[in-house]
Amino acid sequence: MQNADTTKYIIHSKINADGIIERPDIVGAIFGQTEGLLGSDLDLRDLQKTGRIGRIEVVVNAKGGKTRGTILIPSSLDRVETSILAASLETIDRVGPCSAKIEITQMEDVRATKRHQIIERAKFILTGMFDENLPESQEIADQVRQSVRVEEMQYFGKNKIPCGPAVFDSDAIVVVEGRADVLNLLRYGIKNTICVGGTNVPPEVAELTKKKDTVTVFTDGDRGGELIVKEMVQIANVDYIARAPDGKSVEDLVQKEIVRSLRQKVPVEQVIDKYSTKESEEKSGRVARLPKRKDRRGSEVKRVTPPKVQKVGAKEASPATERSKTSKRVSSRERAKSRETEEKPAKRAKEITKPSPASAKFKPHATDLLGTFSARFLDGKDKVVNETAVRDLVNTLKDYDSEVKTVVFDGVVTQRILDIAADKGIENLVGAKVGSVTKRPASVKVFTADAL
């Protein structure tokens, strides 16, 4: 029809004639009636000889004594020349013996059509061919990555507990919930991990924690993770607690989130009250002591009132009576001592937490730090000279050389912090709560935030 290499535009037109005409009649009328109309530069014969106008295509249909058809003229001229040539076709008013009318219906840009075809084809290639190949390559990468991770995973103990290869030799371990958590941490190069498989912590893991220098419990940010932390604190040796962001699981965390969660780990002594392990320890201690008391009372009764002693004469009964009185005095003395030892910690705690009239100036600092797990260092004029996280409080106090008279922090006052404060000449310690303190330096005053 036309040379596809040179054609830029196609002139679409329709013809209506009052009579019967054929294709040669229409082509002859186009060449004959436009000859010399537009000058030598746009003469159709010359343009066709030079290839700037392609072969004229005509399709006609005669019906009822009238002829209707379409005319297609390919052009490699520019837009202006093609428009002029198209307008000249509408000047034709006669074809053969019949009157006729030619009307331009469309100017088709062949390059735009090609662009549309290119776009449609590119869409098919992009969505069809690339999508078909992508899952295969992705699947290969996942298979290779999974195989490496599975090869790195080891198993601990008789129950084949999933763990990382560094658990056996490393002094520090990370305890997570399940096998998927171990795999995710292995993916990012953390190889000293071991899982507990749920809230029922295996005895092997509890024993392993007692042999390691540093044990970090890293659980999901949900209720189940909190229950696992409570159980681990009770039966295992735990140093730090790390939690995933609220609502997220360790197996779904990316590297940045894992590193952030482990960096924000909190010493277990600072959050021991949150997991309410003291009450359980007290209950277990009372239950453990009760059988001993019953045994002791039973033994005393057997010694004091045996049936045979009561039937013997007064001389033989008196030594037994004296022994029973002596044992009663001893037992009452022991009970009195136990009451004194039980009262002393209570008195000591009361002395530690008793507020002072001068301590009201620390109240704003304690209020600001509430829920932040942070600490503030105050100088002799009660001005803030440094701030740090509670998890770094011990190390910061050891290395701090400037003047510090007061430390206010959102955490538990422990014996270790008290000893360091005494060595550093710190006069006041303000914490959220007071932990297990057996010896309080006289130079350090201890307050709690809720008592200020």
Side-chain angles (χ1 to χ4, degrees), residues 318-379:
S318 58
T321 305
E322 290 176 1
R323 285 196 301 268
S324 65
K325 290 181 180 179
T326 304
S327 62
K328 287 181 180 179
R329 286 196 298 270
V330 172
S331 61
S332 62
R333 193 180 301 115
E334 290 177 353
R335 285 195 293 271
K337 288 182 179 180
S338 63
R339 282 197 299 271
E340 290 177 2
T341 55
E342 290 176 357
E343 289 174 359
K344 284 181 180 179
K347 290 180 180 179
R348 189 182 296 114
K350 203 176 261 188
E351 291 174 0
I352 291 173
T353 56
K354 185 177 179 181
S356 172
S359 63
K361 56 188 175 181
F362 306 133
K363 182 69 175 178
H365 297 287
T367 304
D368 293 342
L369 297 177
L370 184 62
T372 62
F373 292 105
S374 300
R376 287 182 181 176
F377 296 174
L378 310 180
D379 59 9

Side-chain angles (χ1 to χ4, degrees), residues 39-280:
S40 59
D41 293 337
L42 293 177
D43 185 71
L44 281 178
R45 294 186 185 277
D46 295 339
L47 293 175
Q48 197 170 44
K49 289 178 182 178
T50 58
R52 303 181 72 185
I53 291 294
R55 184 172 180 269
I56 299 175
E57 295 289 338
V58 178
V59 178
V60 293
N61 183 20
K63 186 177 180 180
K66 294 185 179 181
T67 304
R68 291 182 176 83
T70 57
I71 304 172
L72 301 178
I73 303 177
S75 170
S76 61
L77 303 172
D78 59 20
R79 288 187 175 186
V80 176
E81 293 173 336
T82 303
S83 300
I84 294 172
L85 184 61
S88 66
L89 297 179
E90 293 187 346
T91 62
I92 299 173
D93 56 359
R94 198 168 189 83
V95 177
C98 306
S99 59
K101 182 180 180 183
I102 296 177
E103 182 182 356
I104 304 300
T105 58
Q106 181 185 356
M107 298 293 291
E108 179 184 354
D109 190 341
V110 176
R111 294 171 296 181
T113 304
K114 290 181 179 179
R115 292 191 194 103
H116 181 71
Q117 293 176 352
I118 292 171
I119 292 172
E120 294 300 323
R121 182 60 179 170
K123 288 181 181 178
F124 175 77
I125 294 172
L126 180 62
T127 58
M129 298 183 179
F130 277 101
D131 287 347
E132 291 177 359
N133 296 332
L134 183 59
E136 293 183 3
S137 61
Q138 186 67 31
E139 186 177 350
I140 292 172
D142 291 340
Q143 289 178 357
V144 173
R145 188 181 297 111
Q146 182 70 17
S147 64
V148 173
R149 288 161 56 186
V150 171
E151 288 176 2
E152 287 183 347
M153 179 175 289
Q154 304 291 330
Y155 296 94
F156 181 81
K158 296 180 180 179
N159 294 329
K160 303 292 184 180
I161 301 171
C163 64
V167 165
F168 302 94
D169 301 327
S170 177
D171 293 333
I173 62 172
V174 178
V175 181
V176 294
E177 294 188 28
R179 182 177 185 274
D181 300 339
V182 176
L183 285 174
N184 193 35
L185 294 181
L186 282 175
R187 178 182 181 184
Y188 298 112
I190 302 175
K191 300 182 179 181
N192 58 336
T193 57
I194 188 170
C195 70
V196 296
T199 54
N200 189 14
V201 179
E204 294 95 329
V205 177
E207 290 298 326
L208 178 65
T209 59
K210 298 175 183 179
K211 301 176 183 178
K212 301 298 180 179
D213 295 339
T214 305
V215 177
T216 301
V217 178
F218 188 17
T219 60
D220 299 342
D222 55 7
R223 175 65 176 168
E226 186 175 346
L227 295 176
I228 291 176
V229 172
K230 288 183 178 180
E231 184 174 355
M232 285 293 297
V233 169
Q234 293 178 21
I235 69 173
N237 182 17
V238 179
D239 298 302
Y240 296 95
I241 296 174
R243 300 291 305 277
D246 292 341
K248 288 190 176 183
S249 301
V250 175
E251 62 182 290
D252 299 328
L253 300 182
V254 298
Q255 185 175 13
K256 185 183 295 184
E257 293 173 322
I258 292 173
V259 173
R260 186 187 301 116
S261 298
L262 291 176
R263 284 180 177 175
Q264 293 176 350
K265 63 184 179 181
V266 180
V268 68
E269 61 186 10
Q270 298 296 340
V271 292
I272 194 73
D273 292 336
K274 178 180 178 182
Y275 298 103
S276 64
T277 57
K278 290 184 178 179
E279 295 179 1
S280 60

Side-chain angles (χ1 to χ4, degrees), residues 30-44:
I30 291 174
F31 281 106
Q33 295 185 36
T34 58
E35 186 177 1
L37 180 64
L38 302 175
S40 59
D41 293 337
L42 293 177
D43 185 71
L44 281 178

